[in-house]
Amino acid sequence: MTDILNLTYEELEAFMTAELGEPRFRARQVWQWLWQKCARSFDEMTNVSKATRARLAEKAVITWPEVETVQKSADGTTKFLLRLADGALVETVLIPSASREGTLRITQCLSCQVGCAMGCTFCSTGTMGFERNMTMGEILGQVLVARAHLGDSRPDHPILRNLVFMGMGEPLLNLNEVMRSLRTLNDEFGLSFSPRRITVSTCGIEKGLRELGESGLAFLAVSLHAPNQEIRKRIMPKAAHWHLDDLITALESYPLKTRERVTFEYLLLGGVNDGIEHARELVRLVSRTKGKLNLIVYNPAEGDPYDAPTPERILAFEQYLWSKNITAIIRKSKGQDIKAACGQLKASELQRGTASAGADAPEA
Ligand code: SF4
């Protein structure tokens, strides 16, 4: 059986013609049902003949992730624990914000791997270890679940506005499926998300970075979190295999569109990377690129390995950056009460009902 949500448009066309003997235009109809009308069964595809629907059902399935739990934070953030077809659990988070006109907009934080191999020391997902990559159908299945949950059926004014690959997993370590997902997201007859509404966040993996940039399919965010190689090695031991200086050098020539900038994510960890000496080093790094900074304040739960930075140090850090003409915005973590904030996603059986890398998405 072919899981039809795993097929790109070209693959679906080939499947419809070669496997089912259908004309090519039939693929366009089925594609729109799958991605625009969020059909969960072939029977819903009413402009496709009954005979074709029957043939489709014989050879293919439409597999959405099953929703295990839905948790809502006091700040409106919603976290889903999803079960994939093989039983693996992943999480996705919906983060609300309001436009200037007061309209509700949602940013969705997507997972792309079950677990993560990078083992960043401040991140719950990192402690899970790596289980496997997610397929395109599983990655985009999260979007289908969100749209169904939101009743979001207006492609011209969608409530679900932005997507950020900042959930569980490192996108550049699942490059193939992430790129396939980005192409389907961009398709005007598919989910129809402009690249301006998608951000892919990486902790800095050499392989794939250039390909992502040259595709122009999403904005880039880099989880920096350290102002020098020594601290990066300590808090992000695997990411630090690619030397910080080499990462910044690669970003100096990263392909950017006019007025586009790389976003650097910087998690302020009390007493680790939040001093003025660190801000000074950070300025030197970021100034080499066309970049801006998102400062995220670490807010530990009991037993977490780091302390929160003090309000005075946060302010001094931010002010120093601005004084050196670096754009730096403090991002409030959302969904902390349901463990949906940045670095808190950790899907497991144990967390069903209390469940929990997260809700620090760029503003919509
Ligand atoms: Fe993986 Fe990102 Fe967590 Fe690091 S921060 S362990 S790359 S999910």
Side-chain angles (χ1 to χ4, degrees), residues 205-238:
I205 303 286
E206 184 172 11
K207 199 165 174 282
L209 188 67
R210 193 86 204 162
E211 185 178 336
L212 176 68
E214 281 167 359
S215 76
L217 291 172
F219 285 157
L220 177 71
V222 176
S223 299
L224 200 57
H225 307 320
N228 59 48
Q229 175 67 7
E230 191 248 310
I231 294 179
R232 199 159 147 90
K233 233 169 150 173
R234 191 148 35 104
I235 67 177
M236 303 171 76
K238 292 196 180 150

Side-chain angles (χ1 to χ4, degrees), residues 1-195:
M1 279 286 192
T2 299
D3 187 345
I4 206 161
L5 291 179
N6 276 333
L7 303 182
T8 61
Y9 184 73
E10 294 70 31
E11 289 166 349
L12 179 64
E13 229 180 34
F15 176 78
M16 295 293 292
T17 50
E19 294 274 327
L20 304 185
E22 292 287 334
R24 282 159 73 101
F25 75 86
R26 201 63 89 205
R28 170 66 48 84
Q29 289 174 320
V30 172
W31 184 255
Q32 286 177 313
W33 276 107
L34 292 173
W35 298 114
Q36 290 188 336
K37 298 178 198 164
C38 301
R40 295 192 71 161
S41 78
F42 297 114
D43 276 344
E44 292 173 48
M45 303 180 178
T46 45
N47 62 351
V48 176
S49 75
K50 264 192 171 169
T52 306
R53 283 187 259 156
R55 279 200 294 278
L56 272 165
E58 270 168 30
K59 303 232 170 187
V61 287
I62 304 170
T63 313
W64 281 31
E66 291 297 328
V67 177
E68 280 284 311
T69 61
V70 182
Q71 286 181 281
K72 195 137 187 180
S73 156
D75 64 24
T77 300
T78 307
K79 185 172 71 174
F80 296 82
L81 179 66
L82 303 176
R83 184 177 291 281
L84 307 177
D86 66 351
L89 294 167
V90 294
E91 292 181 326
T92 185
V93 180
L94 302 183
I95 309 142
S97 63
S99 70
R100 276 195 205 107
E101 302 77 41
T103 321
L104 172 68
R105 300 191 295 196
I106 303 279
T107 295
Q108 183 173 18
C109 182
L110 297 172
S111 294
C112 63
Q113 293 182 313
V114 182
C116 183
M118 296 309 291
C120 303
T121 55
F122 47 79
C123 173
S124 296
T125 309
T127 64
M128 285 174 66
F130 173 72
E131 281 184 39
R132 67 172 177 85
N133 283 329
M134 290 168 69
T135 63
M136 177 183 95
E138 290 170 337
I139 294 170
L140 298 183
Q142 298 170 89
V143 181
L144 296 175
V145 166
R147 289 189 61 190
H149 176 84
L150 295 166
D152 194 6
S153 55
R154 292 182 54 192
D156 46 340
H157 289 292
I159 305 168
L160 184 58
R161 298 272 291 183
N162 298 306
L163 301 175
V164 291
F165 285 75
M166 290 186 185
M168 296 166 63
E170 164 51 57
L172 296 187
L173 291 182
N174 186 14
L175 187 68
N176 192 37
E177 295 300 311
V178 168
M179 292 301 293
R180 286 158 64 87
S181 303
L182 293 176
R183 280 184 215 108
T184 297
L185 283 166
N186 270 258
D187 189 296
E188 62 172 315
F189 300 105
L191 282 159
S192 195
F193 272 84
S194 137

